[in-house]
Amino acid sequence: MSDQQTPHATPDVSGRTIAVLGGTGDQGRGLARRFALAGIDVVIGSRRAERAQTAADELGGSDLPIRGLENAAAAAAADIVIVAVPWEGHRDLLASLEEELADKIVVDCVNPLGFDKQGPFALPVEEGSAAQQAAAVLPRSRVVAAFHHVSAVVLLDPEVDDVDLDVLVLGDDRDATDQVRALADVIPGVRGIFGGRLRNAHQIEALTANIIAINRRYKAHAGIRITDV
């Protein structure tokens, strides 16, 4: 069996341009930084282009292939778009960018969570999950769920070279999930692992509440590893 036929083989994504919507938040900035360090062209998206460019400058400026644009321009400029916005504005933002996101791979890493005195908990989502909501709002896009359990603290830490993590990638389009797996693979130490169909994304999003609880209890930045793969 050739490498191209194995379940582990992934395509080359080095020539892709990646946009991170919500890229001024910790998770978005962390992902943007790691992709740019891997030599991938990155565009940070925000409601204000000036804020996006400030975030890009703080992450590396002219030393890394990273720039900032307003959300619509960032989405239009990219081949793969990562959605890392707060849950509260998720639907409205994606609906406003339906044209710019048409025919593109859209990676949703939003976790619909609530917090109370007992800690984090998963919120109900009418469509089933944030990723399924994205698919409903963006019928012309190729929606994939991934990057839910990455620690922003670890991604942004200049002392951490290798990130000890498997990224679960879910979706219904095999080529799209393979490209997102490959994108995860460019971060040293990270593996992109196919995790099932998009209909199961709610389990991955909800698991984030458990990981937050683990991190609080053990004062850690825990991630996930899949064994025997």
Side-chain angles (χ1 to χ4, degrees):
M1 181 179 287
S2 71
D3 288 343
Q4 294 303 313
Q5 294 174 305
T6 71
H8 302 286
T10 56
D12 181 9
V13 294
S14 59
R16 304 287 197 275
T17 296
I18 310 300
V20 184
L21 307 184
T24 59
D26 288 344
Q27 184 183 27
R29 288 189 302 116
L31 289 170
R33 174 178 178 271
R34 293 290 172 165
F35 296 143
L37 284 170
I40 293 178
D41 184 33
V42 177
V43 184
I44 285 180
S46 182
R47 286 177 293 180
R48 293 173 44 241
E50 298 83 359
R51 186 181 180 195
Q53 187 58 52
T54 296
D57 291 340
E58 291 173 348
L59 287 174
S62 59
D63 294 330
L64 293 175
I66 185 168
R67 56 199 164 104
L69 294 171
E70 183 271 332
N71 279 323
D79 302 300
I80 300 175
V81 179
I82 296 176
V83 181
V85 299
W87 167 239
E88 293 75 16
H90 181 262
R91 179 194 289 274
D92 289 344
L93 175 65
L94 295 184
S96 72
L97 299 177
E98 198 272 338
E99 186 64 35
E100 288 84 357
L101 295 173
D103 302 317
K104 298 190 177 186
I105 296 174
V106 176
V107 185
D108 201 299
C109 62
V110 175
N111 297 307
L113 299 178
F115 296 85
D116 60 18
K117 292 181 179 180
Q118 296 184 54
F121 60 95
L123 295 173
V125 179
E126 180 180 354
E127 295 85 356
S129 65
Q132 288 170 291
Q133 183 181 94
V137 172
L138 304 171
R140 294 187 289 166
S141 300
R142 303 158 70 191
V143 176
V144 174
F147 298 110
H148 298 88
H149 306 139
V150 294
S151 165
V153 173
V154 171
L155 292 177
L156 289 167
D157 189 342
E159 300 299 318
V160 176
D161 294 323
D162 289 353
V163 179
D164 186 16
L165 180 74
D166 285 339
V167 168
L168 296 176
V169 180
L170 293 84
D172 300 325
D173 183 313
R174 174 66 177 272
D175 175 69
T177 57
D178 282 352
Q179 290 195 51
V180 177
R181 285 174 52 224
L183 188 60
D185 288 348
V186 305
I187 302 174
V190 174
R191 294 189 308 170
I193 301 291
F194 177 71
R197 296 283 186 167
L198 201 67
R199 67 183 182 182
N200 291 322
H202 67 98
Q203 297 165 178
I204 304 302
E205 295 170 7
L207 183 59
T208 306
N210 301 87
I211 294 176
I212 292 172
I214 291 168
N215 287 334
R216 287 181 173 179
R217 173 64 177 82
Y218 293 98
K219 296 180 172 57
H221 302 294
I224 287 176
R225 280 295 192 193
I226 304 299
T227 63
D228 199 31
V229 174

